[in-house]
Amino acid sequence: MIDWQDRDLNEYNPSGSTTSKHLSCSHQLCQLGPNCQSPKQPCPYMVNYYSEDTSSSGFLVEDTLHLGGSDDASNVPVKAPVIIGCGRKQSGGYLDGVAPDGLMGLGLGDISVPSLLAKSGLIQNSFSLCFDNDNSGRIFFGDQGSAAQHSTPFLPSDGK
C-alpha cells in the first residue's frame, strides 16, 4: 500500500517535469488562441475572479497529475492528463498570499480538472471536497460523496 500522506509538496515548475509540455495556441482548448501571434506559441490564459481586483494570467501546460487510488482493495494510483495554468502575473488577493500553493480548476469549463478526468474516461464528471474541523480536507474525484455530507451546487455560467 502507498502512503500518499507523506509527500513533499513543492511549487510546480513545468521545466522540472519530464511529462510537461506547453499547450500551443492552435490547441482546441486554447480559448485565447486567436490572440496569439503564432499557432506554436504557448497558449495564454487570463482569469478574473469575483473577489475585488483578483486575477491570474500566464500560460497553459499539459502534464500528468498523480492521484491516489480508489478505496477498493486494488488501491492503484492513477496518472491523469490535465491542463495546468502557470501563473506569471497575479493581482489582488494573490499578492496577499490567498493561495500560496496555487489553485485547482474545479469549475464547469472544458479544462477543469474534473472535466478532463471524465473526458479521459477515468471518472464520472463529479467531485466532492470535504473539510474537517481542523481545516484539513480531502478531494475525491468521480464520486457522489457520502450521504451525510452537505452539497453546494454550481451555478450555471450565466449565474442564473
Side-chain angles (χ1 to χ4, degrees):
M1 186 168 114
I2 298 172
D3 183 5
W4 293 100
Q5 296 181 23
D6 292 336
R7 294 289 171 162
D8 191 19
L9 300 176
N10 298 309
E11 186 174 304
Y12 176 76
N13 181 352
S15 62
S17 170
T18 59
T19 54
S20 172
K21 61 182 180 180
H22 286 279
L23 192 78
S24 71
C25 285
S26 61
H27 193 282
Q28 66 185 19
L29 294 176
C30 182
Q31 294 177 345
L32 297 179
N35 297 336
C36 297
Q37 295 176 356
S38 163
K40 293 183 180 180
Q41 177 182 335
C43 176
Y45 81 89
M46 171 67 180
V47 179
N48 291 306
Y49 295 97
Y50 290 108
S51 56
E52 189 173 323
D53 296 323
T54 300
S55 66
S56 177
S57 63
F59 59 92
L60 298 176
V61 296
E62 295 177 279
D63 208 340
T64 302
L65 180 63
H66 297 263
L67 300 170
S70 63
D71 288 335
D72 66 15
S74 68
N75 201 27
V76 177
V78 175
K79 295 178 182 177
V82 294
I83 296 174
I84 301 169
C86 291
R88 294 291 187 204
K89 184 178 179 184
Q90 274 60 248
S91 67
Y94 292 129
L95 301 177
D96 299 328
V98 168
D101 298 326
L103 297 172
M104 180 181 288
L106 298 174
L108 298 172
D110 289 339
I111 65 170
S112 74
V113 172
S115 294
L116 291 168
L117 296 176
K119 283 180 193 168
S120 297
L122 296 170
I123 66 164
Q124 295 177 21
N125 195 0
S126 66
F127 70 93
S128 62
L129 182 60
C130 302
F131 294 101
D132 205 343
N133 292 334
D134 64 358
N135 293 325
S136 66
R138 288 182 172 237
I139 187 166
F140 296 96
F141 292 106
D143 75 337
Q144 300 300 319
S146 73
Q149 81 184 34
H150 300 281
S151 65
T152 303
F154 279 116
L155 287 174
S157 298
D158 62 5
K160 296 179 183 176

